[in-house]
Amino acid sequence: MSNRAPTLKSVIIGTAGHIDHGKSALVEALTGTHPDRLAEEKRRGITIDLGFAFLEENGVRFGLVDVPGHERFVSNMLAGAAGIDLVLLVIAADESIKPQTREHFDICRLLGVKRGVVALTKSDLVDADTLGLVRLEVEEYLRGSFLEQAAIVPVSAKTGIGLNELKNALHTAASEVSGKDAARYFRLPIDRAFAMKGFGTVVTGTLVSGSVAAEDEVELFPEGKRLRVRGVQSGGKSVERAIAGQRTAVNLAGIDHDAVKRGMTLAAPGHFRTTRRADARLTLLPSARKLKQRAKVHFHAGTTETIAEIFLYGVSTLSPGQTSFAHLRLQDEVLLLPGDRFIVRQFSPVITIGGGVVLDPLAKRPLVRDTGRAAFLETLESGKREELLAAMTERALLGLPLDDIVARTGWFEGEVREAAQNLVKAGNIKVVSAEPLILLGRKAFDEVRRKIADRVERFHRENLLSPGIAREDLRASLGRRVREETFRAALEELASERKLDVQGELVKRAGSQIALQPEEAQAKGEIEKAFADAGLAVPSVKEVLAKLSVEAKRAEKLLQILLREKILVRVSPELIFHRDALAHLKVRLAEHKKAKGERISVPAFKDLTGITRKYAIPLLEYLDRERVTRRAGDERVIL
Ligand SMILES: Nc1nc2c(ncn2[C@@H]2O[C@H](COP(=O)(O)OP(=O)(O)OP(=O)(O)O)[C@@H](O)[C@H]2O)c(=O)[nH]1
Ligand SMILES: [Mg+2]
């Protein structure tokens, strides 16, 4: 059974506030559902873990996440607070602001929650004067914060007083919430996993981005396991598709519920990578102690919790209330994307001390010599997509493949290609490979071009008698820090600009001819003449070269040139003939065929050519290869 696509706006409300201030009672009063589920919660009368309820009011579907107020369960609270659109800050009128009121409120601020409503609960327990005082205290406390303008509504879960007003206030706040983006990649930080009779494994969470439907393939992080979605629920009902902003339950095929835990993430398959190093903007709460370089903290993002070592960029300590760029070295693999909020808590005693925004989820280890990191992070923090891509490409000296860009940014492939195109037009980057897309900064690319051109130039200088450098040698001379695609693209560009000639496996300066010294030209002529004069009775190569006036190494080069120019032909390792002698031989064979038929024996061949058996056999084999003759038993057929 599935509903039609939801037209209701979905808004997630998270409760926040000190223990016993009436959060769960208020959720029940609003929705009819008591969010405490565990036997232990019922027995002790406190919330330990997250609870959930739903409310539909005037075209808005509210998903309520009820959190525990107990200081020992703040990490559970954090898993619920990630992804909320509205905070319902609960302050008991008979107690006013208490430590976890502050801590939860700080957390909401650090998580970037933008709107909320304050409920002064248990208003039935205090007189009007006290209520007025508490209201003043709360107003004072919220001054200058995102809740400065928020409605403060006295309520009682016991008498029902103020509940309608509270619903109206929530509704007004909900209308100002800009929803989560259903058009991005699917991402669901998991806050619960359990087995449901007849269904199997079910996971739940607040859908922070994208959408998910039955039969979708999803990837479970950090494992990277691919799974099939059997069914989807949102707001407690089966739906075809759950979209960003909804409380969502996903029924998964192919995995045991024990293998899935809070802190894992379900996401669109094949795009993302987990990380243990992220660069971020980190802000310390005014109430925190100063943070030292390399401090260890508890790190919370989405529903995940791990330990982070903090490396501060540019400062050696972070003072209370201050902010800086920081590197987070995480103890576990975590799935993060730019823009993700996180919270850090002091190692001991465990209290919330700050938080921030992920800027680069796949950051490299901090290096002293990497002086451009701060400027790069500034671009990541406030630049436009093209500026980000240009900056990322510039820092990727080996080139930046599409996969890496998507995993690091969460952009769609089309968005990357479009931004890349604009950067190519602007002359900032070079596409060294279109499929798969690999980008390289124009400067780095030009540097490779320069190196190639220099190398070819040097080769010509040092090898005057060589027509060009072997492509593989040229490639090897660049070292491993130049990828094959870059080498290929640079060669292509240099060739298309007629700066280099690429002929098969040979690369040379464009239009370059081998310039022979006069004595070399003469020696070359002598070699040719020696073979031409010999006809088929060829001399030994050694003999010919030894007679020349140039030294052995150059003589060998000159021989190579004659072979390359096909003036001389190597028939076997020891045998070289002049091309005219071979052409003449072919004519004589044709005549023989005409006069005496197509067959010729080895002795007949020896007679015809006047050469010894030692030469005749390799020569015949050469003619076979050239398809002038074909072997037939002991004889040859002239073709
Ligand atoms: N008189 C009165 N009692 C209330 C009201 N709201 C809650 N209570 C009582 O206060 C106690 C705590 O309420 P809960 O809703 O469990 O408080 P909580 O904030 O959820 O507590 P934790 O989840 O443990 O942080 C319970 O005994 C409630 O019955 C109210 O409006 N009036
Ligand atoms: Mg509770």
Side-chain angles (χ1 to χ4, degrees), residues 23-24 36 46-47 66-67:
K23 297 178 290 298
S24 302
D36 287 347
I46 61 165
T47 303
D66 182 45
V67 307

Side-chain angles (χ1 to χ4, degrees), residues 58-59 122 273 431 509 570:
N58 296 332
K122 308 195 186 183
R273 290 174 206 162
V431 173
R509 185 199 299 133
R570 194 186 286 279

Side-chain angles (χ1 to χ4, degrees), residues 17-26 36 45-47 66-70 121-125 155-158:
H18 199 69
I19 184 165
D20 237 16
H21 276 204
K23 297 178 290 298
S24 302
L26 186 57
D36 287 347
I46 61 165
T47 303
D66 182 45
V67 307
H70 197 298
T121 48
K122 308 195 186 183
S123 66
D124 56 291
L125 295 181
V155 294
S156 168
K158 199 165 183 184

